[in-house]
Structures are given as C-alpha cells and as structure tokens.
Amino acid sequence: MSATAGQAQSERSLAERLGLKAGQVVQEIGYDDDVDEELRRSVEELTGNELVDEDYEDVVDIVLLWWREEDGDLFEGLTDAMIPLTGGGNIWLLTPKAGRDGHVEPSDIGEAAQTAGLSQTSSVSAAREWSGTRLVAPKVRK
C-alpha cells in the first residue's frame, strides 16, 4: 500500500470512528490553531459538507466541540452546544489526550455532561493529539 493510500484510509477512518454519515451537517465549536486538520478534512470528505461554524443559524446533526481545560466552564460549553442540535443529534467533545496541554480529566467530563443532562456513550482516539467523547441527550419516553 502506498503512503498516500494509507493516509487516505487513515483520514476516512477518523470520521468513520465518530460514526458520521454522508449528508450530515456538522458544526464546529472551539476551533483554534491546535485542532487536528486531518480530522476536519476527514469529516468534510465523509459528510460531503463543509464544517459550519459557531455563527451557523440552522439545526445541525453533530457538534464537534474542541475543548481545552483553560476554555472555561465545560457545563456552559456543553449547554451552548446542545442548542442547534436536531433530535437524535449528538456532541463529540474533543479534548487533548492525557499528558497534552489542556487535557480535561474524564471525571470532569462525566460531571459536566451529567449536569447538562447528557449521557456519555463512547470514547475514541479521535486524532493523534485528541480524544473524543460522544455525548447524547437521553431519549424522551412517550
């Protein structure tokens, strides 16, 4: 396999690890110069859509929330990220891996998510420097 083919497979698998699908609208919050550009490209390639930013004024299927320890109150960040989500949408909380600047402790993520009314469903290695935690709102029983 050539390096290019291996790289393409790696890029595809980054977005696929997040369970993204073609046609989904993905909003990105917390973009800064430390985000993983390979993951961003992978998301755009798989969904077929450019990432929309924090100023997007319609509903979205997925929110990619880049979060670092110094970004402030995680509960508030999660609460704000829930606003544009469609029913059934979810938040991928992307935090620096352990040992990296800005790492957020898993216990802090769990506490903030629970307080915001979200359930943690899975965690993945989202990129070389970033961990991903999938957060969903509980389904309402009728």
Side-chain angles (χ1 to χ4, degrees):
M1 177 181 339
S2 71
T4 305
Q7 183 180 9
Q9 183 173 346
S10 172
E11 286 179 19
R12 275 196 311 273
S13 67
L14 291 175
E16 288 171 352
R17 263 186 251 165
L18 302 182
L20 302 180
K21 296 178 176 57
Q24 287 182 314
V25 177
V26 180
Q27 182 179 43
E28 179 180 49
I29 299 173
Y31 176 87
D32 205 342
D33 59 1
D34 63 345
V35 301
D36 189 276
E37 292 297 333
E38 186 179 345
L39 175 59
R40 296 179 78 244
R41 277 191 308 275
S42 175
V43 169
E44 291 180 339
E45 287 174 11
L46 183 64
T47 62
N49 294 317
E50 289 186 17
L51 293 167
V52 298
D53 66 15
E54 297 155 355
D55 298 326
Y56 187 69
E57 295 185 9
D58 205 348
V59 295
V60 300
D61 300 300
I62 306 289
V63 171
L64 293 183
L65 178 58
W66 301 96
W67 196 268
R68 303 138 198 97
E69 183 181 38
E70 63 273 6
D71 284 345
D73 186 342
L74 181 54
F75 166 75
E76 287 180 18
L78 292 172
T79 302
D80 291 345
M82 288 190 294
I83 294 169
L85 281 176
T86 61
N90 61 70
I91 297 169
W92 272 102
L93 176 62
L94 302 168
T95 57
K97 290 182 177 179
R100 310 289 199 295
D101 286 344
H103 173 69
V104 180
E105 291 295 328
S107 58
D108 294 339
I109 294 170
E111 183 180 322
Q114 184 176 15
T115 304
L118 297 166
S119 297
Q120 183 175 330
T121 61
S122 60
S123 295
V124 299
S125 175
R128 186 174 34 205
E129 304 283 328
W130 294 85
S131 294
T133 304
R134 184 175 181 259
L135 303 170
V136 299
K139 292 189 175 22
V140 178
R141 295 186 179 196
K142 295 182 181 183

